[in-house]
Amino acid sequence: MPNDLSPTARALRALEILQLRPGTTATELAERLGVTERAARRYVEILREAGIAVTSARGPHGGYRLGRGTRLPPVHFTQAEALGLVMAVLSGQPGAADAEDLVSAALGKVVKALPEGVGREAALLREYASAAPDPYASRPDPAITSELVGAVAACRRVRIGYRSEAGNEWEGEVDPWSLVVRYGRWYLLCHSHRADAVRTYRVDRVRTVQVTARRFQPPAGLLDPVAVLEENLGLGWEFPTRVAFDLPQDEVARWVRPPMGRLEPLGNGCVLVGSTRNPAMYAQEWLATLPVAFRVEGGEELRTAVAALAARFTAAVDGT
């Protein structure tokens, strides 16, 4: 923390830390405030003198905690935090620059509530910064997203109504493991009882959510939901794909995106096994950009798409 903060500012920062991390010890509080343990305890006493109930306990599960029913003062933002918040909102949702946008309205309330010195800079940034819309981003329904988050936290099975990109609608039960935001899109990582397999579903395509009373146990190895999601993005689609390389797996891996499938060793080379809903896209946007030689060994639809792409490129240079 900056060394020029007043005791009041440090006390408010101590309050914020205790809000976010109940059970913070005096040592941890001192490290976060950049002061001695004695000074950290003094800031706790300042909070108590201001009528804020702060309890303390010894032992491995001890530390400082705010008492139940504590009425907290308004949230305090530094100028850097306020500008960072506006930048994050505009980066994640360019539509927030539009006065009619839901997030824009919420952001406007936050900016207006800021102190004049901090709020002026945030308001200027919001007014004069522009963000290009992301054509691949999606905005799921906040109510449906909230239901799914609650089910993830409570480890409860849900029944969802879903509409695929092709317009097919179905209902099925899933064990929701995690929600992952990837490149502007929200995904539900889950175990589908309908498919009896791990599946990833776009949250913006979930139409209904019904939380059931049945509980589930998340897989023990789910330490990195983003990695698990990416491993499964290329599985479970309509058209199978199999692409072979005469290079070691580690030389090919850097060019392969997770949605393309799973890369496995094969003899002196490796093979990419996956599936796709759109063979033409797989050929044009993914395979055509690989800077290494490959062979399409499986998936007739993909072979046809690659042949058509090759013929088009050949015609572009031989004048036919």
Side-chain angles (χ1 to χ4, degrees), residues 18-309:
L18 297 183
Q19 283 182 262
L20 298 175
R21 296 177 61 89
T24 297
T25 65
T27 301
E28 294 169 339
L29 187 60
E31 290 177 357
R32 288 178 171 273
L33 293 175
V35 298
T36 64
E37 286 191 34
R38 180 178 180 181
R41 293 191 180 93
R42 175 55 187 155
Y43 293 129
V44 171
E45 289 304 316
I46 291 176
L47 295 177
R48 287 170 173 164
E49 291 169 3
I52 298 174
V54 181
T55 63
S56 60
R58 297 181 180 276
H61 301 291
Y64 293 115
R65 297 176 185 273
L66 297 180
R68 291 187 177 182
T70 300
R71 297 186 65 182
L72 302 177
V75 176
H76 171 72
F77 288 102
T78 65
Q79 187 172 86
E81 289 171 340
L83 294 178
L85 177 62
V86 175
M87 292 171 66
V89 172
L90 292 178
S91 298
Q93 185 159 332
D98 183 354
E100 301 299 323
D101 184 81
L102 180 66
V103 175
S104 175
L107 181 62
K109 292 179 181 179
V110 172
V111 171
K112 288 181 180 178
L114 294 173
E116 183 178 355
V118 176
R120 184 186 308 110
E121 296 295 327
L124 286 173
L125 175 62
R126 183 190 180 204
E127 181 177 356
Y128 290 103
S130 300
D134 183 353
Y136 301 105
S138 63
R139 305 299 173 203
D141 185 311
I144 285 179
T145 306
S146 177
E147 289 279 359
L148 291 173
V149 169
V152 170
C155 295
R156 289 192 179 275
R157 185 177 300 179
V158 297
R159 184 171 186 83
I160 64 172
Y162 194 81
R163 179 184 296 166
S164 69
E165 186 175 5
N168 300 320
E169 297 192 9
W170 52 264
E171 288 190 356
E173 292 190 348
V174 304
D175 293 342
W177 293 346
S178 181
L179 265 69
V180 178
V181 184
R182 182 182 183 276
Y183 300 145
R185 290 179 175 175
W186 288 70
Y187 292 91
L188 172 65
L189 176 65
C190 63
H191 174 82
S192 168
H193 294 275
R194 181 171 177 264
D196 192 24
V198 178
R199 287 291 182 262
T200 57
Y201 297 123
R202 289 264 299 272
V203 178
D204 59 301
R205 294 179 185 158
V206 177
R207 300 305 177 192
T208 59
V209 177
Q210 181 182 358
V211 181
T212 73
R214 301 192 64 175
R215 291 184 173 274
F216 65 88
Q217 185 67 34
L222 191 65
L223 301 178
D224 188 349
V226 175
V228 176
L229 175 92
E230 294 195 330
E231 288 175 5
N232 287 274
L233 279 176
L235 304 177
W237 298 104
E238 181 179 359
F239 304 110
T241 61
R242 182 180 176 88
V243 182
F245 303 86
D246 291 328
L247 292 171
Q249 182 176 347
D250 58 351
E251 292 187 28
V252 178
R254 62 176 134 171
W255 307 111
V256 173
R257 299 169 55 186
M260 296 172 69
R262 183 172 54 250
L263 196 61
E264 302 172 348
L266 180 66
N268 293 326
C270 57
V271 62
L272 178 63
V273 181
S275 63
T276 180
R277 61 172 177 79
N278 191 335
M281 179 277 299
Y282 196 104
Q284 296 173 23
E285 298 184 16
W286 292 349
L287 291 184
T289 62
L290 294 179
V292 295
F294 60 86
R295 298 184 308 279
V296 180
E297 294 187 342
E300 286 305 312
E301 295 82 5
L302 181 60
R303 290 173 61 87
T304 300
V306 170
L309 180 63

